[in-house]
Amino acid sequence: MIKVLIADDHPVVRQGLRTFLDLQEDITVVGEAGDGQEAVELVGELKPDVLLLDLKMPVLGGLGALERLTGSATRIVVLTSVSDRSDVGPAMRAGAAGFLYKDVDPSALVQAVRAVHGGQVLLAPEAAEAMLGAGPPEVHVPGPVQLTEREREVLTLIAAGRSNREIARALTVAEKTVKTHVSNVLMKLGVQDRTQAALYAVRHGLA
């Protein structure tokens, strides 16, 4: 079962998400938080696999909660109604594994929970456009980057949103080997995470 925690300051939103998610055979909602501080505390207490996190909440906002949860094993998906695209970059850099808007189709939200739990990074199309339109500073790589053929294959699959397990299956190699390749790719590109590597791949025609 995928354990999900919902953090939103609107009780009706929390109830709607809980009702739908609890209908899924492989997902269970283990708790609800009405603000960012409560979300941080419940992550520590309940150890959910996935946290659905609103950005605009009292006491502690979503970005603040993300920063406090840095290093947590919980995968965090921002689920917001805020249309300000300037929030996308800070949220992803703070550790979010996904960024979706509340008008997302319910079935797509379920698939997103499963995908993020499986190790993928997921962005709504508008959020992806915002990241790509932000310019190259956050993924700027000085000088040419020399990747081996295998590393280029891994980077292409990262950009496609594949998890390490899926990449290992696609390339017929051990998952441990994929982790090594991913680490090498991140190091060579000079980026911090898979999201930035994926953006590099898109900008340079590798995806």
Side-chain angles (χ1 to χ4, degrees), residues 138-162:
E138 68 188 61
V139 291
H140 176 66
V141 180
V145 175
Q146 299 296 326
L147 298 178
T148 66
E149 182 178 351
R150 179 63 85 189
E151 288 167 350
R152 288 171 66 90
E153 291 175 333
V154 169
L155 177 58
T156 299
L157 290 169
I158 289 174
R162 303 290 185 87

Side-chain angles (χ1 to χ4, degrees), residues 59-178:
V59 184
L60 181 67
L63 288 178
L66 274 165
E67 292 170 356
R68 295 194 185 185
L69 290 170
T70 298
S72 169
T74 297
R75 303 277 287 171
I76 302 172
V77 178
V78 170
L79 185 62
T80 181
S81 59
V82 178
S83 59
D84 187 353
R85 295 188 175 189
S86 64
D87 287 326
V88 180
M92 299 306 291
R93 287 192 292 272
F99 196 105
L100 301 173
Y101 296 98
K102 288 182 180 177
D103 60 357
V104 64
D105 184 80
S107 61
L109 176 60
V110 170
Q111 292 302 319
V113 168
R114 292 171 179 151
V116 167
H117 177 252
Q120 297 183 32
V121 174
L122 200 76
L123 296 175
E126 301 89 345
E129 290 174 6
M131 289 287 286
L132 290 171
E138 68 188 61
V139 291
H140 176 66
V141 180
V145 175
Q146 299 296 326
L147 298 178
T148 66
E149 182 178 351
R150 179 63 85 189
E151 288 167 350
R152 288 171 66 90
E153 291 175 333
V154 169
L155 177 58
T156 299
L157 290 169
I158 289 174
R162 303 290 185 87
S163 66
N164 284 351
R165 181 176 302 175
E166 291 172 324
I167 294 174
R169 189 179 302 120
L171 300 180
T172 320
V173 297
E175 190 171 347
K176 183 176 181 181
T177 301
V178 172

Side-chain angles (χ1 to χ4, degrees), residues 15-53:
Q15 183 58 48
L17 290 171
R18 172 185 281 273
T19 299
F20 183 75
L21 291 174
D22 274 341
L23 291 175
Q24 312 306 312
E25 294 182 355
D26 58 339
I27 296 175
T28 181
V29 177
V30 295
E32 301 176 15
D35 59 65
Q37 180 59 44
E38 186 179 12
V40 172
E41 293 172 355
L42 287 179
V43 166
E45 177 183 338
L46 301 174
K47 302 293 192 299
D49 298 306
V50 177
L51 166 63
L52 296 179
L53 180 69

